[in-house]
Amino acid sequence: MRIIPISLPTPFYIGPVNVYLVAEEPLTLIDTGPRTKEAAEALREGLREAGFLVSDLRRIVLTHAHEDHCGLARSLRDQAKDAEVLVHDWETGHRAARLEYDENRALLARAGLPDDEIETMRRMYEGVRRYADSFDEHEYNSLEDKAELEFESGVLQVVHTPGHTPGSCSFVREADRTIIAGDCVLKRITPNPILSPDPIDKSRRFRSLAEYLVSLARLRAFAPTLVHGGHGEPVHDYEELFNRYLRAIQQRQSQVISLVPKTGVTAWEVAREMFPGADEVHRFLAVSEAVAHLDLAQAEGKIAVEFSGAQEVYRKLAGD
């Protein structure tokens, strides 16, 4: 199976995004890059170098629905004469802006963000959402965990790897233990567990970090020899990276727990303490990380949480 990485520019701080062409029938592109002229031109050039045109695509598969990964999906589908689009049902970024939902605003309020900060984040996202078109429900098909994407020379197994987003998926070629992992596995940075509503019960918060740890363990069970991530270089030693991720998560857990006093603190206050100089987009990522670690610490019985009005307040356990 010939898997061809193509690097595309993005307007985001993360830098270029990796998309992957599976160069056999049905010709498949995994992730698309953002909806920009520069990304579209780079993708066309990458396809040409591999001997293909956009019109040759038969299948577009999304690891997750962030703008740098899904932005060109609708345009490519149309240019490729209605190529099939596949994404997990738990993804919502391709349907509408993540910060537009009432439940997202409620999650930010529960985390302790003041109204003006929530409005600033909403305006910030207005600038981000232009880099992707949304899809209606009937315009894509669902990726299912353990399903197989069939090709001439074999299959890629779909592995639901929630954490970075609820519907994040990875794709495993068991024949040579190669994985395309999107933003679940990145060589140089630890992926951020994004604040999201629970896809089953949108009045609740998705427990992103606990799910992410399970996802990392699921991928580890395949004993991968090569992991293609959504950004940066491929990973050839997953075991080393797995342990590095665990150490980083444990260190952050210790830091977060140390910031929780007996008098109580909100996730927003923890985020500002951890990342005092964060700008607008990074403040959203900061509060996402704070919430994820506070959720995990509370689930493991290391801290307590209670409501104070509409806000969640975390407290050090009595006797600690």
Side-chain angles (χ1 to χ4, degrees), residues 149-303:
L149 301 177
E150 296 184 357
F151 297 89
E152 282 183 318
S153 68
V155 301
L156 289 176
Q157 180 183 338
V158 180
V159 182
H160 183 206
T161 47
H164 180 60
T165 66
S168 288
C169 287
S170 299
F171 306 94
V172 180
R173 185 168 191 258
E174 291 193 75
D176 59 4
R177 291 178 286 157
T178 294
I179 298 177
I180 299 173
D183 283 358
C184 182
V185 177
L186 302 175
K187 184 170 184 177
R188 302 273 178 204
I189 59 176
T190 304
N192 193 288
I194 300 297
L195 180 65
S196 304
D198 187 280
I200 304 300
D201 180 357
K202 295 188 184 300
S203 68
R204 302 178 60 183
R205 185 168 57 242
F206 183 66
R207 302 291 174 164
S208 57
L209 187 52
E211 293 282 358
Y212 182 59
L213 290 169
V214 173
S215 295
L216 290 176
R218 284 195 72 189
L219 294 183
R220 186 189 191 198
F222 289 99
T225 58
L226 174 64
V227 182
H228 293 295
H231 304 274
E233 309 98 310
V235 173
H236 295 278
D237 188 349
Y238 182 78
E239 186 67 18
E240 186 278 331
L241 185 71
F242 176 84
N243 286 289
R244 177 154 55 88
Y245 274 6
L246 289 188
R247 289 193 299 272
I249 290 169
Q250 290 165 357
Q251 290 169 1
R252 183 70 78 196
Q253 271 279 284
S254 297
Q255 180 189 12
V256 167
I257 292 169
S258 73
L259 295 173
V260 177
K262 291 181 179 179
T263 53
V265 69
T266 66
W268 174 241
E269 290 167 333
V270 170
R272 297 305 300 272
E273 185 71 21
M274 286 196 300
F275 306 102
D279 60 17
E280 289 177 5
V281 64
H282 289 91
R283 286 206 294 274
F284 176 70
L285 298 178
V287 76
S288 289
E289 184 159 348
V291 168
H293 279 276
L294 289 164
D295 278 347
L296 183 62
Q298 188 267 328
E300 293 181 345
K302 297 175 181 177
I303 59 175

Side-chain angles (χ1 to χ4, degrees), residues 1-8 16-24 26-33 43 46-47 50 57 59-63 69 76 151 156 171 178-183 185-187 226-235:
M1 185 178 293
R2 191 158 63 109
I3 298 173
I4 302 173
I6 302 174
S7 178
L8 306 179
V17 63
N18 298 324
V19 305
Y20 296 92
L21 180 70
V22 184
E24 58 181 75
L27 192 67
T28 297
L29 185 67
I30 299 179
D31 286 344
T32 71
L43 178 58
L47 291 172
L57 293 173
R59 192 162 52 190
I60 297 164
V61 180
L62 302 178
T63 61
H69 292 262
L76 293 173
F151 297 89
L156 289 176
F171 306 94
T178 294
I179 298 177
I180 299 173
D183 283 358
V185 177
L186 302 175
K187 184 170 184 177
L226 174 64
V227 182
H228 293 295
H231 304 274
E233 309 98 310
V235 173

